[in-house]
Structures are given as structure tokens and as C-alpha cells.
Amino acid sequence: MTTSPGSEDAQAPTADEIDDLARRAQAGDRDALEDLLAAVRPRALSVCRGVLPHSADAEDACQEALLNVAGKIGSWGGRGRFTTWLHVVALNSARSTYRRLKNQAFASDVLPAERPDPRTTSVIAGTRLDLLEAMETLEREHPQMVEPLLLRDVYGLPYEEIAALLGAPTGTVKAQIHHGRKLVRPLLRGDA
């Protein structure tokens, strides 16, 4: 690997190096797992920050994602890049953290009139609350469309990579994304 502990000028490991660490970690190499978690933490945090703009929330989601990676490393199939699988794990952790925080907020003593409108709050505060609310709505009605839509439109993964990750034909993934966009668009504009 091109990184060395304590090196100020250490470079991030390449995708091939990360895949190699992941394979070794799957085989039970604890040191490889530790190195893998350290190598992918910045990427996982970046994904979480893309969904949760408050640093402490993103850090919590990143920690959850890394725990999930450590506990579920065996579920990475090895067909695609480990970093693509990591995106999904981190994205799911961020969404889970958002749901938990949302439920805590609604369970608190905040009066309904004091709760901010997510559509206006997102514009003012620069958060992604409107997107997260739209994804929550889409997930209730069409759960199969959420993951492909987020991977394509938020994280910019290519259709082929999403298809490989989800184990679905590329045409199916494209159709899910197209239909998901049509359903989410009015939610983001506040037409719903």
C-alpha cells in the first residue's frame, strides 16, 4: 500500500489496494481489516457528509458505516469495486442516522408549529432535508428505486457499476432511476 503510518505525505491507497485489503480482511486477516477501515474512512465520511451536513451527525453515520463494514465484510461479493459496496453501506448508514435523528426530533417536546419546513430549511441552511424526505416517501411506496436513484443522482456512479452492485440488468436500473426521478421531482418542488 502507498500509505505509511505517520507519514505526512501519505497518498490514499488505490482502488486495487483497497480491493486487496478487503479480500484479505474477508479471509480473516485482522490487520488487513484495520488497514482497510483506516483507508476507507475518509471516503465513508464524505458519503455521509453528502447526506448529513452537520459534522457530528456525519461522524456518527460514518462510525456506523465502518462498524457495518467490519461486521459484514463477508457480504461484499468481490464482483465490483469494494469502494462501490462501501458507498452503499455508508449511504444506508447516513439514511439510518437521519431517520433516527428525525424520530428523536418528533418524539421531543417541540411543538408542531416550531418544526421547520424541510423544503424551506434546506434552501436556507443548505441541507439535504428535502432530498431525504423525498427518499423516505419514495422508499415507502417504491423501495427498489431508492438505492439506484441515490447512487446515480447523488453519487454519480455509472449505470453499469450500479447494475453490477445491485445484481440487476443495466436496463432495469436505468428504468428504476428514470421512474424514481419522475416520482421524486414533485416532492422536491413541494408539489406533493
Side-chain angles (χ1 to χ4, degrees), residues 61-144:
C62 178
Q63 187 64 29
E64 180 184 325
L66 294 177
L67 287 171
N68 286 333
V69 167
K72 299 177 182 179
I73 188 85
S75 67
W76 173 55
R79 291 183 310 272
R81 288 286 187 193
F82 179 81
T83 52
T84 302
W85 182 79
L86 172 73
H87 261 85
V88 173
V89 172
L91 180 62
N92 288 338
S93 294
R95 292 179 63 226
S96 173
T97 298
Y98 168 76
R99 274 192 222 93
R100 181 176 38 82
L101 293 171
K102 178 181 165 188
N103 290 338
Q104 286 174 352
F106 283 112
S108 72
D109 295 337
V110 177
L111 297 173
E114 295 174 351
R115 290 188 188 123
D117 179 356
R119 289 180 295 259
T120 58
T121 303
S122 65
V123 173
I124 295 166
T127 66
R128 295 244 169 136
L129 294 179
D130 54 350
L131 175 63
L132 291 170
E133 290 294 330
M135 291 299 107
E136 292 288 315
T137 301
L138 183 64
E139 186 171 44
R140 281 192 298 274
E141 298 169 14
H142 304 282
Q144 74 281 4

Side-chain angles (χ1 to χ4, degrees), residues 145-172:
M145 292 180 197
V146 174
E147 198 168 35
L149 183 61
L150 287 173
L151 289 172
R152 177 67 185 158
D153 288 355
V154 175
Y155 294 103
L157 294 180
Y159 292 111
E160 295 76 19
E161 197 169 336
I162 296 168
L165 181 67
L166 300 178
T170 302
T172 300

